[in-house]
């Protein structure tokens, strides 16, 4: 530490560094360093100037543990005001998730499955995809995993709907403002690269584990990024000649967006929705750590209780749901592309 002590001394900061210190060793490391002083030449070792190392040379600089403790104290100090704002704003998400789960529990299974198959046929308009969907539900029912699968599907559909409801307008605004795009891209990069477990850390301090919005917010934050990015990209890729023609016809900005840009960008937007669905599904197991029901809870049970079969079968159910949702959304996307080319 002598190198850094000399640096602070040469800069005339010694009085500032020693302000408030008693002169005695502050930590066990300080005590050991004093005990073994002279046994090894510190000058021959260049230690990276981390916070702990700099603290040893200048006590005013906080240690790493002081930094993390300060961060924790700051979060706890703003927790109640943040919760008072976020609580009412996110309460509709809790109601939507709980309503969807209640629907799965209360309605007859055959009515739910029939309704979903009809929706698939209307969206994809392919008999092969519809038959495949029916087969997936039959397999899940055969292994007694139909209700958890429908719960998982309900959570994914609610979260995807909110991602589209919020993400598409944000993507449109980003396509309109390059400045907003520059500000939003670092946030989107952070949301996309942040480890999935980290999403849960601040949320479990803000909300009760029993509240559905806890896992709903985590899923939405993780899955909303593709919807925003691909909406922005799709509108920016609209042919400039087409926009000039729209201007020549005297269209307003709103008319251009609704009648020209949005329809032409729809294939990209649908690709973003497909990615959002897949990312929502990938968060199901993580969300089960904070009481999310469904197949993820069975996977978690298999891990916690070392029940290999339970975990593998539930994992197989998630794979089947992922394949089914991917095929249906891609078939719907192809149908939209064909309608635009026609």
């Amino acid at each position: 530490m002598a190198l850094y002590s000399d640096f602070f001394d040469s800069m005339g900061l010694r009085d500032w560094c020693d302000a408030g210190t008693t002169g005695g060793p502050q930590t066990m490391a300080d005590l050991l360093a004093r005990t073994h002083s002279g046994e090894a030449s510190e000058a021959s070792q260049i230690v990276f100037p981390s916070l702990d190392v700099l603290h040893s040379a200048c006590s005013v600089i906080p240690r790493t543990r002081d930094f993390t403790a300060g961060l924790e104290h700051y979060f706890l100090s703003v927790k109640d005001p943040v919760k008072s704002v976020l609580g009412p704003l996110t309460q509709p998400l809790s109601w939507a998730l709980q309503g969807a789960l209640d629907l799965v529990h209360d309605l007859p299974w055959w009515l739910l499955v029939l309704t979903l198959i009809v929706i698939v046929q209307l969206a994809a308009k392919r008999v092969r995809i519809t038959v495949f969907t029916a087969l997936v539900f039959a397999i899940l029912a055969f292994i007694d995993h139909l209700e958890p699968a429908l719960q998982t599907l309900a959570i994914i559909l609610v979260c995807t709907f909110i991602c589209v409801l919020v993400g598409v307008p944000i993507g449109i605004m980003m396509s309109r403002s390059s400045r907003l795009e520059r500000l939003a891209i670092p946030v989107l990069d952070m949301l996309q690269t942040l480890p999935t477990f980290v999403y849960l850390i601040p949320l479990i301090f803000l909300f009760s584990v029993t509240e559905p919005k806890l896992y709903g917010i985590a899923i939405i934050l993780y899955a909303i990024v593709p919807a925003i990015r691909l909406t922005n990209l799709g509108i920016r890729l609209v042919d400039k000649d087409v926009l000039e023609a729209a201007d020549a016809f005297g269209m307003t900005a709103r008319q251009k967006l609704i009648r020209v840009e949005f329809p032409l960008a729809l294939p990209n937007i649908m690709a973003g929705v497909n990615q959002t669905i897949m990312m929502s599904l990938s968060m199901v197991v993580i969300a089960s750590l904070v009481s999310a029901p469904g197949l993820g809870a069975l996977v978690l049970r298999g891990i916690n209780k070392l029940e290999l079969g339970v975990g593998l079968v539930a994992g197989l159910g998630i794979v089947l749901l992922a394949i089914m949702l991917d095929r249906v959304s891609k078939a719907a996307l192809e149908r939209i592309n064909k309608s635009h080319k026609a």
Side-chain angles (χ1 to χ4, degrees):
M1 318 306 167
L3 175 66
Y4 301 112
S5 294
D6 292 343
F7 170 76
F8 287 113
D9 291 341
S10 64
M11 296 296 291
L13 299 173
R14 178 48 51 198
D15 292 340
W16 175 71
C17 287
D18 293 339
T21 58
T22 59
Q26 300 295 312
T27 65
M28 182 59 72
D30 296 336
L31 186 59
L32 291 174
R34 292 191 181 190
T35 303
H36 295 289
S37 60
E39 292 183 0
S41 172
E42 292 181 351
S44 62
Q45 300 176 359
I46 298 177
V47 184
F48 187 81
S50 65
L51 285 178
D52 285 350
V53 171
L54 291 177
H55 177 81
S56 301
C58 178
S59 58
V60 174
I61 297 176
R63 291 163 291 189
T64 301
R65 67 182 182 184
D66 298 326
F67 175 72
T68 55
L71 189 63
E72 181 180 340
H73 290 152
Y74 173 75
F75 182 81
L76 292 176
S77 66
V78 301
K79 184 188 77 169
D80 290 337
V82 171
K83 187 177 179 180
S84 65
V85 175
L86 285 182
L89 287 177
T90 55
Q91 190 56 39
L93 176 61
S94 273
W95 293 334
L97 287 169
Q98 193 58 54
L101 293 173
D102 291 342
L103 204 64
V104 169
H105 183 263
D106 295 337
L107 285 182
W109 65 269
W110 56 268
L111 181 58
L112 268 175
V113 171
L114 189 62
T115 304
L116 289 171
I117 289 174
V118 170
I119 292 172
V120 167
Q121 175 60 27
L122 292 175
K125 290 195 182 302
R126 283 191 187 178
V127 176
R128 191 173 58 181
I129 299 292
T130 306
V131 171
F132 175 72
T133 303
L135 187 63
V136 168
F137 284 130
I139 293 172
L140 291 169
F142 187 71
I143 57 177
D144 290 318
H145 280 57
L146 182 60
E147 185 171 350
L150 291 175
Q151 288 174 336
T152 299
L153 208 53
I155 293 171
I156 291 170
L157 292 178
V158 169
C159 291
T160 301
F161 175 74
I162 294 174
C163 285
V164 173
L165 197 65
V166 177
V168 171
I170 293 176
I172 293 172
M173 286 191 288
M174 283 174 62
S175 70
R176 290 282 183 268
S177 168
S178 297
R179 186 177 181 184
L180 178 61
E181 185 186 37
R182 286 194 298 273
L183 292 173
I185 282 179
V187 178
L188 298 178
D189 290 341
M190 185 195 72
L191 290 175
Q192 207 160 19
T193 56
L194 203 65
T196 49
F197 280 98
V198 178
Y199 284 98
L200 301 178
I201 294 175
L203 293 176
I204 57 178
F205 282 94
L206 289 173
F207 305 112
S208 167
V209 179
T210 58
E211 292 181 281
K213 61 186 172 187
L214 175 56
Y215 57 81
I217 293 173
I219 293 173
I220 290 169
L221 287 177
Y222 184 67
I224 198 173
V225 178
I228 297 174
R229 281 190 191 279
L230 289 176
T231 301
N232 174 40
L233 181 67
I235 292 180
R236 284 181 180 275
L237 288 178
V238 172
D239 194 341
K240 302 297 180 189
D241 293 337
V242 177
L243 295 178
E244 287 178 5
D247 289 331
F249 279 103
M251 284 188 173
T252 63
R254 182 186 293 272
Q255 288 172 329
K256 272 198 304 183
L257 174 65
I258 296 173
R259 298 181 182 178
V260 179
E261 292 174 303
F262 196 81
L264 291 177
L266 201 54
N268 281 312
I269 296 172
M270 285 298 294
V273 173
N274 174 273
Q275 291 300 308
T276 295
I277 293 172
M278 292 299 107
M279 293 180 74
S280 299
L281 195 57
S282 68
M283 272 292 283
V284 164
V285 177
I286 305 296
S288 66
L289 291 169
V290 286
S291 74
L295 293 170
L298 294 176
V299 173
L300 187 64
R301 174 185 149 191
I303 295 172
N304 287 338
K305 298 186 177 181
L306 296 178
E307 295 177 345
L308 178 67
V310 173
L312 287 178
V313 171
L316 175 66
I318 293 175
V319 171
L320 287 174
L321 279 184
I323 295 172
M324 183 190 77
L325 291 170
D326 182 63
R327 298 296 182 273
V328 172
S329 57
K330 282 184 177 175
L333 177 61
E334 286 177 11
R335 193 167 65 83
I336 291 171
N337 285 335
K338 285 180 181 176
S339 67
H340 277 285
K341 290 177 182 175

